[in-house]
Amino acid sequence: MEAQTVAALLITIALCYGPSLWRTIIHNRKLRSIPTIGPSGSLTSYIGALRFLFHAQEMLQEGYNKFRGSLFKIPTLTSWIVIVSGDKLIDELRRAPDDTLSSTEAFRELFSTDLTLGPEFCDDPFQIEITRGPLTRNIGAKFADVQDEVIAAFDDFIPIQGGEWTEVTVFNTVMDIVCRANNRMLVGLPLCRDPDWMNLTKRFTMDVIMSAAVLNIFPAGLKPFVAPLLRRVPRALKRGVEHLEPLIEERLEQKALYGKDWSEMPNDMVSWALDVTMDRPRNTNAFVRIILGTIFGASHTTTMSFTSVLYELATRPEYIQPLRDEVEAVMKEEGWSQGSVRRLWKVDSFIKECLRVSTVNIVIMGRKVLKDFTFSDGTTVPAGCTVMVPFDCVHTDADNYIDAKTFDGFRFEKMRRRNDSEHLKHQFVTLSVDYVLFGNGRHACPGRFFVANEMKTMLSHVLLNYDIKMADGGGRPKNWRFGIHGGPNTTAKMLFRKRAKSGV
């Protein structure tokens, strides 16, 4: 590219995005003191921002190698991201007060929720209360329902004839199955199998992500003018009201008639939401936003994660029989239940290791800096920045894991058996500074217990009932990455066929 073209491109970008970065560079010496990956000038930093769009992982690893145990910054088109590394500083990030480092404000900014889901979604996030409380408490009570839906959904979306191989696009099929299972847990039958509701909840996940991605291209001052042009999320919310409003009104009438101790009240998210919001203002639109938002959070992350697990399993066939043996032994002894699924240590370990090396996320534990915050190494991060933890760099750090870049599907199972008193420390849902898939601290993913139970149930079902392989006979499909976003390949295909010997 000629020098004149590069200059013209940089000037154009600066005119659109310059004010935020210019103010940060010129007026904030605290930020200037944090080392930069790439050019750090007020104009040349845009070169680094463009590079970050396509080479985010390489830039993060470069910074991690140079500055592990401290902080460094990377430019984006609209701001700076400050990366925190090393166990000590990650723990300080975890323990920082919410009025200084805010996970809610980081989420609000990343997904532009004020403009997509409405400000109430973050201002009164009662979906978190529901997830931590009644949803998690009911994993066991609703286990049979979710397992039933997993079986039915696999049969519906992978329609196998006889002993023939059936080709499926993995990501799309997993999303179909995950949405059905999640909806069975959250809204139950018959709504979880309603074709329009299923289409709505699947599309809603992608609509929110795509709307946020478009809005994040623009500086903050332009986003409110762009948002009204993005109509998919508002249309989805309207469709959600059409489905849920009659159900909510009926539930309110029944509660008024039978009282709060109504013994036959359906055990689903509508009831949980009514109970949680009993002493606060509430309306149908808020319930719809919360229910669809919860399905969005659960379906998006679980779909990406389970797709990655299937890619690893299909390209590492040596793990299939040991995993099958464990599932068959446990289910023969105990049958299917939440308790028996907890005993699947090899399955738990395999999923955890798949997601340790998968780079489903590029960064994690985002926090918006609301007040200047000084870490113990003396580095001050100024208000207005976003701080994050690098996902892959932590998970492949030789100080954290033996042979950190080598896949070992039973790594964590062996660690659990090595020290019986610490076996809980190495299970999939456990939080630590060296395994940050679910974040850490009080803002860690509140739905991780349900997600882990669902994924182990789905993987066990696959192991017992199918033979699988990649359709092209090749290795694991490469993940996609764009800036801080990433995920598993969405177009790769796999082959499924029924096992000759039926499962448990």
Side-chain angles (χ1 to χ4, degrees):
M1 188 180 291
E2 296 182 0
Q4 289 178 330
T5 305
V6 172
L9 179 60
L10 291 175
I11 290 170
T12 301
I13 293 173
L15 289 173
C16 291
Y17 300 101
S20 58
L21 277 180
W22 185 269
R23 283 195 299 271
T24 301
I25 290 293
I26 298 301
H27 298 297
N28 210 320
R29 295 186 180 277
K30 295 172 185 174
L31 185 61
R32 293 177 68 187
S33 69
I34 300 174
T36 307
I37 299 303
S40 59
S42 56
L43 190 59
T44 58
S45 61
Y46 287 108
I47 296 174
L50 289 173
R51 181 187 170 210
F52 187 65
L53 289 177
F54 304 100
H55 301 283
Q57 188 55 53
E58 292 83 351
M59 292 178 72
L60 288 169
Q61 192 65 56
E62 178 187 345
Y64 194 85
N65 293 342
K66 289 181 179 178
F67 306 111
R68 189 195 186 284
S70 59
L71 294 86
F72 58 94
K73 67 180 186 289
I74 292 177
T76 70
L77 290 176
T78 58
S79 62
W80 290 94
I81 296 175
V82 177
I83 303 298
V84 179
S85 69
D87 295 356
K88 184 178 181 181
L89 298 190
I90 292 174
D91 192 56
E92 290 177 20
L93 175 65
R94 172 187 71 83
R95 291 186 286 106
D98 293 345
D99 63 355
T100 303
L101 301 184
S102 173
S103 127
T104 299
E105 293 307 312
F107 180 84
R108 190 195 297 267
E109 184 175 90
L110 178 63
F111 288 101
S112 297
T113 55
D114 284 5
L115 299 172
T116 54
L117 297 171
E120 301 87 354
F121 190 79
C122 286
D123 291 341
D124 183 18
F126 62 86
Q127 72 274 15
I128 296 176
E129 296 175 56
I130 293 171
T131 304
R132 286 178 177 159
L135 190 154
T136 299
R137 288 196 302 269
N138 279 288
I139 293 172
K142 301 201 70 173
F143 177 87
D145 289 347
V146 174
Q147 188 206 11
D148 175 68
E149 203 61 37
V150 166
I151 295 169
F154 269 93
D155 288 344
D156 288 344
F157 297 117
I158 307 179
I160 292 174
Q161 300 295 326
E164 298 297 315
W165 288 101
T166 297
E167 183 179 88
V168 300
T169 302
V170 183
F171 184 86
N172 293 342
T173 302
V174 169
M175 178 173 281
D176 286 333
I177 294 168
V178 166
C179 278
R180 278 270 295 271
N182 287 345
N183 273 290
R184 182 68 178 268
M185 178 72 179
L186 297 175
V187 298
L189 288 169
L191 188 57
C192 72
R193 295 182 185 177
D194 182 287
D196 187 67
W197 175 259
M198 282 300 301
N199 177 265
L200 165 62
T201 54
K202 284 190 301 180
R203 288 305 315 164
F204 186 75
T205 297
M206 300 311 298
D207 290 344
V208 171
I209 293 170
M210 293 305 299
S211 296
V214 170
L215 288 170
N216 285 342
I217 295 172
F218 297 91
L222 290 181
K223 287 183 181 182
F225 299 98
V226 177
L229 304 176
L230 306 175
R231 300 300 305 157
R232 286 188 174 184
V233 172
R235 283 199 296 264
L237 291 171
K238 184 178 179 181
R239 283 172 66 193
V241 169
E242 292 171 0
H243 280 283
L244 291 177
E245 188 170 41
L247 184 62
I248 293 168
E249 290 178 351
E250 178 187 17
R251 200 70 55 84
L252 284 169
E253 290 173 3
Q254 291 170 326
K255 284 177 71 68
L257 180 62
Y258 298 109
K260 65 178 182 179
D261 297 323
W262 177 33
S263 60
E264 297 183 13
M265 181 175 67
N267 191 18
D268 60 21
M269 193 170 180
V270 175
S271 295
W272 304 336
L274 290 171
D275 287 343
V276 165
T277 61
M278 188 179 301
D279 300 322
R280 70 184 81 175
R282 59 191 181 188
N283 58 64
T284 299
N285 289 335
F287 283 171
V288 171
R289 274 196 302 270
I290 291 302
I291 292 172
L292 287 178
T294 302
I295 293 170
F296 151 65
S299 298
H300 173 57
T301 54
T302 308
T303 296
M304 292 202 304
S305 297
F306 196 67
T307 298
S308 295
V309 170
L310 287 182
Y311 287 158
E312 296 290 354
L313 186 66
T315 54
R316 301 180 187 276
E318 66 274 17
Y319 284 98
I320 291 177
Q321 196 57 50
L323 289 168
R324 277 179 177 163
D325 290 344
E326 178 185 64
V327 177
E328 288 177 338
V330 170
M331 298 311 159
K332 183 177 181 180
E333 182 179 339
E334 292 192 18
W336 287 94
S337 69
Q338 182 189 13
S340 61
V341 168
R342 284 201 198 102
R343 289 189 55 200
L344 300 175
W345 285 18
K346 282 186 168 69
V347 170
D348 187 276
S349 175
F350 185 80
I351 292 173
K352 185 171 182 177
E353 180 73 352
C354 288
L355 301 180
R356 181 184 74 85
V357 302
S358 73
T359 322
V360 168
N361 299 306
I362 304 296
V363 287
I364 199 78
M365 292 180 66
R367 302 288 190 271
K368 187 73 175 179
V369 184
L370 304 182
K371 303 175 186 175
D372 289 6
F373 182 82
T374 302
F375 285 88
S376 62
D377 68 346
T379 304
T380 296
V381 182
C385 293
T386 300
V387 293
M388 295 181 171
V389 172
F391 185 90
D392 188 61
C393 301
V394 170
H395 287 178
T396 58
D397 189 328
D399 288 344
N400 292 334
Y401 298 99
I402 298 170
D403 295 326
K405 294 186 181 295
T406 300
F407 184 94
D408 180 355
F410 300 143
R411 176 189 301 273
F412 298 101
E413 184 257 352
K414 288 180 284 190
M415 293 167 72
R416 293 177 74 173
R417 296 197 184 281
R418 197 174 299 141
N419 189 338
D420 236 13
S421 64
E422 293 188 352
H423 78 89
L424 295 178
K425 177 181 177 181
H426 303 295
Q427 64 181 342
F428 181 37
V429 294
T430 300
L431 306 174
S432 67
V433 293
D434 57 11
Y435 193 86
V436 293
L437 175 71
F438 295 114
N440 209 328
R442 61 190 177 280
H443 294 300
C445 173
R448 65 188 184 278
F449 301 99
F450 172 65
V451 168
N453 185 79
E454 183 178 63
M455 288 183 64
K456 285 189 280 188
T457 301
M458 291 192 297
L459 181 56
S460 298
H461 181 75
V462 170
L463 289 163
L464 295 180
N465 293 283
Y466 299 97
D467 294 319
I468 62 171
K469 61 183 179 180
M470 299 306 300
D472 62 3
R476 188 197 189 286
K478 289 185 177 180
N479 290 356
W480 65 268
R481 297 171 181 168
F482 187 72
I484 65 170
H485 305 285
N489 187 299
T490 60
T491 60
K493 299 182 185 299
M494 281 175 55
L495 298 175
F496 286 72
R497 73 176 177 190
K498 282 289 184 184
R499 286 182 65 199
K501 179 181 178 180
S502 62
V504 175

